[in-house]
Amino acid sequence: MFDMKFAVSAFPQILTALKVTVYLSVIAVLIGTILAVLIVIIREKKIIVLNQIAAFLVSFIRGTPVIVQMYVVYYGLPQLLLILKSNGFDVNPNGLSALAIAITAYALNAMANLSESIKSAYHSVDYRQYEAAVSVGMTPFRAMIRIVIPQLIANLIPNYANFFIDLTKDTSLVYNIGIIEIMAKANIISSIGFKYLETYLDALIIYVVICWVFARIFRFSEVIVRKKVFQN
Amino acid sequence: MILQIKDLKKSFNGNEVLKGINFKIDKGEVVVIIGPSGSGKTTLLRNINFLESADSGIMKFQDEEINLVNPTKKEKLLVRRQTAMVFQNYNLFKNKTALENITEGLIFGQGIKKEQAVNLAEMALDKVGLLDKKDFYPSQLSGGQQQRIGIARATVLNPALVLFDEPTSALDPELVGTVLQDMKRLADEGQTMIVVTHQMSFAKNVATRVIFFDKGEIIEEGKPSEIFEHPQNIRTKEFLSVIAEDY
């Protein structure tokens, strides 16, 4: 029978893990965004060799599940550091926390996916906007900053929001490498009293609420930005 | 002499669009380029403004000689800051108001202080009769209003040369007149300009020189009366015979 009392008492305990989920999502997406911008610049400028590497990396990451990527980073990153150490670099292969590994894996995933979103938002800005800006004497950099990028951001927000929310949900996989986030906390508590449905429903409610909050924040930002940029 | 082009060639995927153009424009001239669609008229203007890179050619702009194949960033800025372009589709900055569309170039292109830029922009908007629309965004304006703001943006600093790329082609017929009036006013004020257009009445009445362009070449040029009344080349005659007045 469903134990309501257990579900209610477990809820605040599971909620304590929310900060890990939010921290992981926000940091991974922030790092991923910076890397994604670099990828887009490399690909749009068609920088030789780097362009091909970036295209391969994006396609590779987008074509594999995030849990596999996480395991590859989990087992691969320490080995990579070991190789660096044996070549004289001052790194500690044993000093990597599971959280650092998860952030690395999710940031790489964000990099690949967001680079495609940013690229598509960039191409959705009419190239003649850039031409008009340089034709009035702006440098290419100024033309991008003043004219193209504000329009790009307005176009990017919906896809960015979708990805951010997807990634937040996907952080439920990091308990596989020992990070105590919402899902891990629910697992631990449910194993105490063998009451699984109660704790998973708690986790479900927390995910629904947090994703709804994020969705509202992005929607609000989109309205503000579109109003500011396009007056619509 | 403001601008001279020597042996300008440009191909797209092996299709030669400009076949060695030689061309010169003096101060105060209004040169109107006519010719069939796809003949390379727009590509010529885009090359002058470095929106396309040429396959070969030299440009002499005022006293500066510039290789059109590999212009330096400095050369591009020099030409762009002393010329201006009016586009077929207006190309107003969608994220800026009418006023900001003009001040952006003044502040961030020409390095003019904001207060002065706003004054200049307001005067330019007043000239085209749209000062009351200064806080409107392009999406809130008609095509004709957008193009007149495009003209105000291009001419606010009395540039050495203004390039008009089919400025009325995207407009509804009833809006064409107001834009042409603004262009005629500029011509009367002595503004040097190159105009690519299908507006034959403008070519006849305002141009100081008409160039007939076809298949990437200048076929014939002369005063409007010479070109329209006594065309020498068979291709010019054919073109003029098939186009409707003010097509």
Side-chain angles (χ1 to χ4, degrees):
Chain A
M1 250 338 250
F2 183 80
D3 187 343
M4 190 65 178
K5 206 173 154 194
F6 186 84
V8 171
S9 67
F11 190 84
Q13 295 179 63
I14 298 171
L15 198 60
T16 59
L18 176 64
K19 59 180 182 294
V20 178
T21 297
V22 173
Y23 178 78
L24 176 57
S25 309
V26 171
I27 298 296
V29 170
L30 282 179
I31 297 171
T33 304
I34 295 165
L35 295 173
V37 170
L38 291 176
I39 292 276
V40 173
I41 293 170
I42 287 168
R43 295 190 70 185
E44 287 301 315
K45 286 197 169 285
K46 296 189 169 55
I47 299 171
I48 49 162
V49 185
L50 288 180
N51 180 26
Q52 283 76 8
I53 294 171
F56 174 76
L57 205 60
V58 168
S59 149
F60 186 80
I61 294 173
R62 278 164 52 86
T64 52
V66 68
I67 190 166
V68 180
Q69 293 162 16
M70 188 175 66
Y71 277 131
V72 168
V73 174
Y74 186 67
Y75 291 107
L77 196 56
Q79 292 204 19
L80 186 69
L81 293 179
L82 212 57
I83 294 168
L84 288 175
K85 192 180 168 72
S86 65
N87 282 294
F89 287 90
D90 185 21
V91 289
N92 179 9
N94 301 317
L96 277 174
S97 69
L99 191 61
I101 286 170
I103 287 173
T104 306
Y106 279 76
L108 288 173
N109 186 277
M111 171 195 80
N113 285 292
L114 289 176
S115 73
E116 289 297 293
S117 301
I118 295 171
K119 199 150 80 83
S120 127
Y122 170 65
H123 286 291
S124 70
V125 179
D126 190 342
Y127 73 95
R128 290 174 298 198
Q129 293 282 299
Y130 172 83
E131 289 188 346
V134 292
S135 83
V136 297
M138 287 191 214
T139 60
F141 180 74
R142 274 262 165 79
M144 290 299 289
I145 296 290
R146 304 283 317 167
I147 305 301
V148 177
I149 290 176
Q151 296 184 45
L152 179 160
I153 289 172
N155 295 335
L156 175 66
I157 292 176
N159 274 338
Y160 196 88
N162 282 343
F163 177 76
F164 185 87
I165 290 164
D166 281 348
L167 185 131
T168 302
K169 289 182 286 186
D170 284 346
T171 57
S172 60
L173 297 167
V174 299
Y175 80 91
N176 283 293
I177 59 168
I179 297 171
I180 313 298
E181 44 65 69
I182 294 168
M183 194 61 190
K185 200 79 176 175
N187 272 333
I188 291 165
I189 294 169
S190 57
S191 63
I192 295 168
F194 298 105
K195 294 182 186 303
Y196 294 97
L197 180 61
E198 289 79 352
T199 51
Y200 290 144
L201 275 177
D202 284 345
L204 189 137
I205 291 166
I206 294 170
Y207 278 118
V208 165
V209 172
I210 186 66
C211 290
W212 181 83
V213 169
F214 282 140
R216 294 309 299 169
I217 291 170
F218 278 112
R219 178 70 193 131
F220 183 68
S221 320
E222 190 192 349
V223 169
I224 299 280
V225 171
R226 287 201 81 85
K227 183 93 183 149
K228 174 90 185 135
V229 174
F230 297 128
Q231 280 296 294
N232 66 21
Chain B
M1 192 267 304
I2 283 189
L3 175 85
Q4 186 172 18
I5 299 281
K6 288 181 193 164
D7 194 35
L8 169 57
K9 288 182 183 165
K10 174 70 186 171
S11 297
F12 291 108
N13 303 319
N15 177 26
E16 202 172 20
V17 178
L18 297 176
K19 298 173 180 169
I21 303 297
N22 291 292
F23 169 83
K24 196 174 107 172
I25 181 162
D26 289 320
K27 194 169 174 359
E29 271 199 289
V30 177
V31 175
V32 173
I33 303 176
I34 59 170
S37 296
S39 57
K41 308 182 297 291
T42 293
T43 308
L44 171 64
L45 293 195
R46 290 173 62 82
N47 269 281
I48 294 172
N49 213 239
F50 304 112
L51 296 177
E52 299 286 352
S53 58
D55 298 336
S56 81
I58 301 283
M59 173 161 99
K60 201 166 177 201
F61 181 74
Q62 294 173 335
D63 295 328
E64 205 76 25
E65 191 160 291
I66 300 165
N67 186 336
L68 284 167
V69 182
N70 292 312
T72 63
K73 286 177 187 172
K74 204 175 149 193
E75 287 167 340
K76 281 185 188 178
L77 281 178
L78 173 97
V79 173
R80 283 171 175 165
R81 285 175 178 171
Q82 294 187 55
T83 62
M85 191 144 176
V86 176
F87 298 89
Q88 187 176 358
N89 292 298
Y90 337 126
N91 295 4
L92 294 188
F93 307 132
K94 290 179 188 172
N95 57 327
K96 302 288 172 192
T97 62
L99 187 83
E100 288 167 344
N101 257 278
I102 303 172
T103 57
E104 280 294 300
L106 296 176
I107 300 168
F108 300 101
Q110 307 282 355
I112 292 172
K113 288 210 169 89
K114 191 179 173 187
E115 199 179 314
Q116 195 192 348
V118 170
N119 284 338
L120 287 167
E122 285 180 345
M123 281 195 287
L125 281 175
D126 197 27
K127 268 190 178 177
V128 296
L130 290 171
L131 186 56
D132 59 327
K133 306 283 185 201
K134 68 175 182 174
D135 296 323
F136 284 48
Y137 280 75
S139 61
Q140 298 166 315
L141 298 164
S142 73
Q145 289 169 334
Q146 287 188 58
Q147 192 57 296
R148 285 155 68 200
I149 290 162
I151 291 172
R153 175 173 75 177
T155 55
V156 60
L157 278 188
N158 302 318
L161 173 66
V162 184
L163 309 166
F164 288 86
D165 181 18
E166 300 196 28
T168 56
S169 300
L171 296 175
D172 290 340
E174 70 267 26
L175 300 174
V176 170
T178 53
V179 172
L180 290 179
Q181 271 171 22
D182 285 327
M183 290 168 64
K184 186 173 183 313
R185 174 179 53 77
L186 287 168
D188 292 342
E189 288 171 2
Q191 173 69 59
T192 313
M193 48 210 233
I194 303 174
V195 183
V196 168
T197 186
H198 292 296
Q199 292 292 331
M200 294 305 146
S201 64
F202 183 84
K204 280 178 191 166
N205 301 326
V206 185
T208 54
R209 182 156 47 111
V210 175
I211 293 177
F212 174 64
F213 215 84
D214 192 19
K215 293 177 183 161
E217 292 174 297
I218 292 175
I219 305 297
E220 191 170 349
E221 62 181 300
K223 288 181 181 161
S225 56
E226 292 166 358
I227 297 293
F228 286 104
E229 287 157 33
H230 309 288
Q232 300 298 305
N233 190 287
I234 183 79
R235 275 149 77 181
T236 318
K237 284 179 190 168
E238 279 171 5
F239 176 75
L240 292 173
S241 69
V242 293
I243 55 156
E245 183 83 357
D246 275 349
Y247 149 66

